[in-house]
Amino acid sequence: MTTAPEHATSPIKRVLANAGQLLSGRVVNAVVGLAYIALTARSLGKEAMGVLVLINAFAQFLGEVAHFQSWQTVLTYGTGPLLANERVKFQQVLRFSLLLDGISGVLGVALGVAGAWFFWNELRWPEGMSGYGALYALSIPVMSSATGVGLLRLFDRFRFLAAEQAISSLVRMIGCGICALTQAPLPYFLLAWAAGTFASFFYVASIAIWDLNRRGLLKGFSLLGPTSRDMPGVWRFAMATNFSSTLDVGFTHVLTMVVGALLGPAQAALWRIGKQVADGMAKPARLMVPALYPELAKMRASGGQQAMTKLAVQIALLGGAAAGVLLLVSLLAGRWILETVMGQAFGAAAGVMNWQVAAAAIGVMTLPLEPMLVSMRAAGAALVVRLVVVICYFAALVPLITRFGLTGAGAALVVSALAMAIGMYLMARRRLARLAAEDDSARTTKDDEGPKYDHAHGV
């Protein structure tokens, strides 16, 4: 078994270097992603585009609900065995992660198909679209190649991860281009979007298997064997990270469905278009997060709490600078960007997009906080923060949308992002203080024991 190579460079330089590798692919993805969105929007119009957006949001929501964040399990529990050359233990972590992915896939498809058939009317889908929605739900198991992503992050294979979303967007763009040229109806655009999801999954899985084999980590591996044995708390960790991720989609896919249910597919399309552009603007800064997790996991495994804090502060300062630029661009050029890329009809999304960019900017400024909590195995603390914020968020969401429309939804998003940032900061500070106290206690105990007398050697 080959261990991960040691790097002489500082953690912040490694994070930025890995984020830079991801950025090279995400720049392509941002351009290609806007291209397939634009092709879809211009070909279908606001109403049909809104229906596609609602079906996609429904499937992605269920995918996020069902999917365990097994990549976090790979990083948190697999880093130690990898560094210690414990191949069998590492294979156990891998087996457990694959088990989580299998459970996720079966559950996601079951919920997706049932939901499409029985709740299409409540979701504001047109009559006759339930069958297409059920077929689209078959892509739920491959919407997240979680174990593969975790392995490639652990192995510092960020240059391969850089192409993951670009491949998905490229396949979608080609498919949507064909649909646009042939004036195909909505179901064929759904097929093109699903094809991109499958392409991305198989790409990541293939690279991960190749790298595992190259490192000798598949030698003697079997899907049958121990999973959670001798890994105390791993199921609790998996459930907490899954639930936290599920709550996170309340700010994405669930909100799109709520907007569609209350305001109709056309307004859902405007919301989704604005969110797509806002997320695309924030993406370069957010790429530091996947590059941050492996560094924090390695620091936690070696007891480097002070180094973790220093790295988080450095990332926060960089994120703050990026956040200011994002908001300025949105305020000055948001409408022009939307009308140029999506068409005149979608310029109306500019107002709500400013709110969405502001929320994204707050998230960028505080992006190291949740990775720190997860790396310190305090995923439960992050979950508590998300749970409280999401409950308050959805309690206020329907009245705000009913009274203020898309502006109300955008304002709620900003307030919830701010509350999330404050909560994560307080939890991270509390956890770091506890770890520091434990380290001080351990050092004091060791000093009190003093040197031991060795009778055999007289020392």
Side-chain angles (χ1 to χ4, degrees):
M1 173 176 170
T2 304
T3 57
E6 294 294 330
H7 299 281
T9 54
S10 66
I12 183 64
K13 288 182 179 179
R14 288 199 296 272
V15 169
L16 292 177
N18 288 333
Q21 289 184 342
L22 290 175
L23 180 60
S24 63
R26 299 301 172 88
V27 168
V28 176
N29 178 62
V31 175
V32 178
L34 285 176
Y36 83 74
I37 288 285
L39 283 169
T40 306
R42 289 175 178 271
S43 300
L44 297 179
K46 283 195 295 186
E47 285 292 335
M49 172 69 176
V51 174
L52 186 149
V53 162
L54 291 175
I55 291 176
N56 182 66
F58 170 73
Q60 287 192 312
F61 166 68
L62 290 180
E64 293 289 346
V65 169
H67 273 125
F68 288 95
Q69 300 300 299
S70 52
W71 66 269
Q72 294 189 1
T73 304
V74 170
L75 287 176
T76 303
Y77 288 87
T79 300
L82 180 68
L83 296 176
N85 287 320
E86 297 176 348
R87 188 183 68 209
V88 174
K89 185 67 174 179
F90 182 86
Q91 289 179 346
Q92 180 182 345
V93 176
L94 177 59
R95 189 181 300 113
F96 179 76
S97 182
L98 291 172
L99 173 64
L100 294 179
D101 288 349
I103 295 172
S104 300
V106 173
L107 181 60
V109 169
L111 291 174
V113 172
W117 278 112
F118 295 108
F119 297 102
W120 62 270
N121 191 39
E122 288 76 6
L123 294 168
R124 298 289 290 270
W125 298 357
E127 190 173 357
M129 290 303 298
S130 59
Y132 294 114
L135 287 173
Y136 194 78
L138 298 179
S139 66
I140 289 176
V142 297
M143 283 185 173
S144 175
S145 49
T147 296
V149 168
L151 290 169
L152 295 185
R153 287 178 180 175
L154 181 60
F155 298 153
D156 286 330
R157 294 294 186 180
F158 286 89
R159 69 179 185 273
F160 293 109
L161 282 173
E164 177 196 3
Q165 291 191 1
I167 287 174
S168 175
S169 294
L170 182 61
V171 171
R172 286 183 175 184
M173 186 187 72
I174 294 172
C176 290
I178 295 172
C179 291
L181 288 173
T182 58
Q183 298 183 333
L186 172 59
Y188 289 92
F189 281 90
L190 281 171
L191 179 62
W193 282 39
T197 302
F198 277 92
S200 175
F201 173 84
F202 286 116
Y203 164 77
V204 171
S206 299
I207 298 297
I209 292 171
W210 166 79
D211 208 355
L212 282 169
N213 190 59
R214 187 185 68 84
R215 293 168 179 266
L217 292 171
L218 291 181
K219 184 179 180 180
F221 176 73
S222 172
L223 290 175
L224 301 177
T227 52
S228 59
R229 190 177 68 193
D230 299 325
M231 288 198 296
V234 68
W235 274 108
R236 185 169 61 253
F237 177 87
M239 295 297 292
T241 53
N242 169 261
F243 195 20
S244 182
S245 174
T246 299
L247 293 176
D248 188 35
V249 301
F251 302 105
T252 51
H253 312 307
V254 171
L255 186 48
T256 301
M257 291 189 291
V258 171
V259 169
L262 295 177
L263 303 178
Q267 294 296 299
L270 293 179
W271 175 268
R272 179 66 175 84
I273 292 294
K275 194 73 168 62
Q276 177 82 11
V277 176
D279 289 344
M281 293 171 65
K283 183 65 73 176
R286 286 177 176 168
L287 290 178
M288 289 188 287
V289 172
L292 186 59
Y293 268 105
E295 293 300 328
L296 291 174
K298 291 168 187 175
M299 289 176 181
R300 177 68 183 90
S302 58
Q305 277 78 38
Q306 290 184 345
M308 291 175 69
T309 304
K310 179 181 178 181
L311 179 59
V313 171
Q314 291 171 327
I315 296 296
L317 291 174
L318 291 172
V325 174
L326 290 178
L327 195 52
L328 186 63
V329 170
S330 177
L331 290 171
L332 295 179
R335 177 174 287 274
W336 176 82
I337 292 173
L338 287 170
E339 291 181 348
T340 301
V341 177
M342 304 295 172
Q344 293 290 326
F346 291 92
V352 72
M353 189 181 76
N354 289 332
W355 289 102
Q356 293 166 326
V357 171
I362 294 171
V364 167
M365 291 175 64
T366 58
L367 58 82
L369 295 176
E370 186 168 7
M372 280 191 69
L373 286 169
V374 173
S375 299
M376 292 184 287
R377 299 190 183 180
L383 173 60
V384 169
V385 174
R386 287 200 178 277
L387 185 60
V388 172
V389 172
V390 167
I391 289 174
C392 297
Y393 172 66
F394 280 111
L397 185 60
V398 173
L400 284 172
I401 292 179
T402 302
R403 174 143 189 197
F404 300 105
L406 289 181
T407 300
L413 195 65
V414 171
V415 173
S416 62
L418 185 60
M420 191 81 70
I422 294 171
M424 292 291 182
Y425 168 74
L426 295 175
M427 286 294 189
R429 189 175 69 171
R430 178 182 176 186
R431 183 67 177 180
L432 284 169
R434 181 185 302 173
L435 289 176
E438 290 174 358
D439 289 344
D440 289 342
S441 177
R443 281 195 295 269
T444 301
T445 302
K446 185 176 181 180
D447 291 341
D448 289 343
E449 289 177 354
K452 295 183 183 290
Y453 185 84
D454 189 334
H455 293 277
H457 297 88
V459 293

